[in-house]
Amino acid sequence: MYPPAPPSSAVSPIQLAVAALFGASVMAISAFYIHKRSVDQVLDRLLNLRRSRRHRHHHRQLPDDEELEFSDYNENAETDNNVSIWRSNNKLSGSFDDRIEDSGGGVSSSIPAASVPKSKRSVEAGIASSSANSDSLDNIHLISSDLPPVRIDQRDGEEKHVSHSGTAMRVGSAGRLATPRSAGSYAFDSAGDSDDEGTELEAEDDQDMNLTQDQHIISAQAENGNYLHVQEPEVTVYEAKSNTDHADRKADTDSTSILSNNYVNSNSIFPPIATLQESVSAEEQEVLKMIHDCLDLRDKYIFRENVAPWTKTVEKSDLAEVKKDPFYFAPTEASSHFFRMEDGVVRVYGSEGDTEELFPVASSTTFFTDMHHLLKVVSVGNVRSTCHHRLRFLEEKFRLHLLMNADREFVAQKSAPHRDFYNIRKVDTHVHHSACMNQKHLVRFIKSKLRKEPDEVVIYRDGQYLTLKEVFDSLDLTGYDLNVDLLDVHADKSTFHRFDKFNLKYNPCGQSRLREIFLKQDNLIQGRFLAEVTKQVLLDLEASKYQLAEYRISIYGRKQSEWDQLASWFVNNEIYSENAVWLIQLPRLYNIYRSMGTVTSFQNILDNIFIPLFEVTVDPNSHPQLHVFLLQVVGFDLVDDESKPERRPTKHMPTPSEWTNAFNPAFSYYAYYCYANLYTLNKLRESKGLPTIRFRPHCGEAGDVDHLAAGFLLCHNISHGINLRKSPVLQYLYYLAQIGLAMSPLSNNSLFLDYHRNPFPMFFQRGLNVSLSTDDPLQIHLTKEPLVEEYSVAAKVWKLSSCDLCEIARNSVYQSGFTHAAKLHWLGDEYFYRGPRGNDIHKSNVPNTRISFRHETWMAEMQCVYAGKARVPEEVDH
């Protein structure tokens, strides 16, 4: 049953709508007539002023010959290339009549009148009087045919006109440009620059623009042709917006412009566009000076060999001997060098009686002072802004390069026979030896040992010796029970921001005794199981042929005998591969050893690490196995959890012998003393013709930017470096110095940073020297080829092309510590030259187009920083 109808007195919705429509119509009509009346009043007033002005100046009419001269001047004004804009910064003040009187000419209701100095008024008055031949109101509104109004920078259909006072000039946009290149100096460099991506006109477009007579703006002609050179310094103009063609069209008839009913003629041919080199302000000069001062600071610290590897002559018989027996030791006579540890740094002298130090190194006070200076520069606001703009510019420049040359690069890669991503050398620049195998490999190895050697005595625990079978019986496990899930070494969600839990993943089945048996070299069986599984991994590398690795193995600094134990493990188990080299990693665990009573000061750790290295360098016969092992060592690393809070070192820190408290020193404290001793050691080894050891620590994975500042000053390469995304200044400095970054996005995804937030693709586009590495295949990866897995995930997630992957692989070879002879074979005979000269597409599969772009862009940035005075060597750093 339907409800009863409402009473007739109620108002229906239709009636309400009709009433609202009627009310709105009345309001609109009223507003229109009010607006029309106001416009008519303004027009009448302007016409009266124009009429009175014409009567005021009619006695100044020029003779016919002079009038003809000015007419010719007006006709030729369009082709004048030397006109500049005078921009007025004065606010609109005073009465409207005063402005009309001062302007002496046409007025637009949409923009303030263009003001002209009094020195020009007599000329303009003559032109105005010559053009006003009729008293009709219609003729008053019209502009003479030889004085076309100007359309400027029209956009979105909106028009703005320049008010002429008699001279016919074509003017262009003189608006302030917000470009990433300069904060205070704005100029167009070439035609079309005004439409460049990232170039926007700011809100001041509608204000007066004032340029002094010494200022010149050359505005570029945009694609729509609405830009023009103006150089007359005594004219005020306003910008206009348009996206329309150069066609005659009628001006808008509303109150936008008093120049209504005039046809806008913009079909004239524009003069050629001149270019103006962008000026650098004093502030920018100061910023660039601070940046290149920081680069000079790095040059003061970084170790470089006096003789480049490619200039050395190596006897072929020596190379053949090394390949034949890499563990061969030739007795060598000891040198007369004398060394002693002083304030945490080893000092080397020519002999025991000498007092002059052979290889002086910067003191700790100097280093911490320079590091604090660098940190101050990093925190300066205008330096941060400049570096951010330069980095954004580099990123956009690379994208433009891809738009223009991606197809060309692809065709060039097709032309290189045999080479593709799988057939070029790729170096895993950061992988820990104790996690170099994948979890399936480790499970298979443990099962095979349980099956083949169950009665092998493997550990001494709780006062008794246990066989391998007894160890598994105590854990209530059998070989059949073992699987990847039970092994539980794979990093999962529980390890994110939990470095302690990540380290526990090194314990198979959660048992530290299994780690000691299978993943340690200093155990009851002298690391035999670890040596066997290492050989299997090396065989897999050699089978792949094009994959190489740099494995990191630990020295803890608890005692000096650690070096001899490690070297004997290498030599006795004959661990060697042409596809692998080794780095030494030092865990930053002083506080733990101090609490255990193993060491009493930080000096003890430095003694245990560096004294044996100097001993074997001075006299190889003192540690023959260590001498052989060091021939395969190419780098030194610092490892531990960087996210632990620490205090920033001051300029005057306690010496290592004075550091006896229970707190762990800061990262930069560790870094300096490792660097200083390595610097002296490398100078000594180089003087004796021995290979050197580079400083390549973990840095910038977490923690403060202090770590990255110390790394910038002291290190050749670093691992991770993802915190560079937080500091545009350090990121730009790392780019300019081309410091290698061995990045591990999948590892970061498990520990500190989600994969989609990783800055690797941004760093790559901007031109930083980045490579991909695996870090911990045991915890991170699932396949037999973890390095290819790392590349494949990055390629799919970030849409990297084949050229991108090959460029990253090429970077990894440059970052690695492999010998000059190996790089010569892998990259080409001139790999040590910068730019396309050092590239061989038949070796690297990277087109010269890409290498040329990277090199020219980097050179341009260096010249920018050094104000065109940068002296860059033709050869890469060594």
Side-chain angles (χ1 to χ4, degrees), residues 296-313:
D296 294 341
L297 274 183
R298 171 178 165 80
D299 290 336
K300 183 174 76 173
Y301 286 95
I302 203 69
F303 169 78
R304 292 186 176 91
E305 298 179 13
N306 292 328
V307 181
W310 41 88
T311 61
K312 298 177 182 178
T313 56

Side-chain angles (χ1 to χ4, degrees), residues 120-318:
K120 296 278 183 177
R121 289 183 184 171
S122 61
V123 175
E124 292 163 359
I127 297 173
S129 60
S130 64
S131 61
N133 296 324
S134 173
D135 291 336
S136 138
L137 292 180
D138 294 335
N139 289 338
I140 290 177
H141 285 274
L142 292 175
I143 292 180
S144 177
S145 60
D146 60 342
L147 301 176
V150 178
R151 257 189 315 145
I152 312 164
D153 190 21
Q154 297 172 341
R155 213 180 285 175
D156 298 331
E158 182 182 353
E159 297 179 13
K160 294 182 183 178
H161 300 272
V162 176
S163 299
H164 289 277
S165 298
T167 57
M169 289 187 296
R170 192 176 300 279
V171 290
S173 171
R176 190 176 180 215
L177 285 170
T179 71
R181 286 178 287 178
S182 173
S185 177
Y186 301 93
F188 295 110
D189 291 338
S190 59
D193 282 356
S194 58
D195 285 346
D196 283 350
E197 182 178 354
T199 303
E200 298 176 356
L201 290 175
E202 293 186 347
E204 296 100 344
D205 291 348
D206 294 331
Q207 297 180 3
D208 287 350
M209 295 168 290
N210 184 19
L211 290 178
T212 62
Q213 294 186 8
D214 295 334
Q215 291 175 315
H216 301 281
I217 289 184
I218 303 179
S219 56
Q221 181 177 359
E223 293 178 1
N224 58 10
N226 290 330
Y227 293 110
L228 171 75
H229 310 267
V230 191
Q231 229 180 31
E232 191 75 44
E234 297 176 327
V235 183
T236 297
V237 297
Y238 281 84
E239 299 180 346
K241 299 179 180 180
S242 174
N243 291 321
T244 59
D245 298 329
H246 296 265
D248 291 346
R249 60 195 181 96
K250 206 162 189 177
D252 208 353
T253 56
D254 62 3
S255 62
T256 302
S257 175
I258 200 66
L259 300 174
S260 57
N261 301 326
N262 291 327
Y263 289 95
V264 179
N265 183 5
S266 60
N267 288 325
S268 301
I269 299 177
F270 286 0
I273 304 298
T275 59
L276 180 67
Q277 186 169 357
E278 187 176 6
S279 61
V280 180
S281 65
E283 179 181 351
E284 288 175 324
Q285 291 178 353
E286 182 182 0
V287 168
L288 296 177
K289 185 178 185 304
M290 286 190 282
I291 292 174
H292 76 67
D293 285 347
C294 292
L295 292 172
D296 294 341
L297 274 183
R298 171 178 165 80
D299 290 336
K300 183 174 76 173
Y301 286 95
I302 203 69
F303 169 78
R304 292 186 176 91
E305 298 179 13
N306 292 328
V307 181
W310 41 88
T311 61
K312 298 177 182 178
T313 56
V314 181
E315 295 294 336
K316 293 185 178 181
S317 58
D318 295 342

Side-chain angles (χ1 to χ4, degrees), residues 130 216 285 322 332 341 373 378 404 543 616 649 680 694 741 754:
S130 64
H216 301 281
Q285 291 178 353
V322 171
T332 307
M341 182 76 75
H373 171 74
V378 166
M404 301 294 294
V616 72
T680 308
R694 294 196 167 190
L741 305 178
D754 290 336

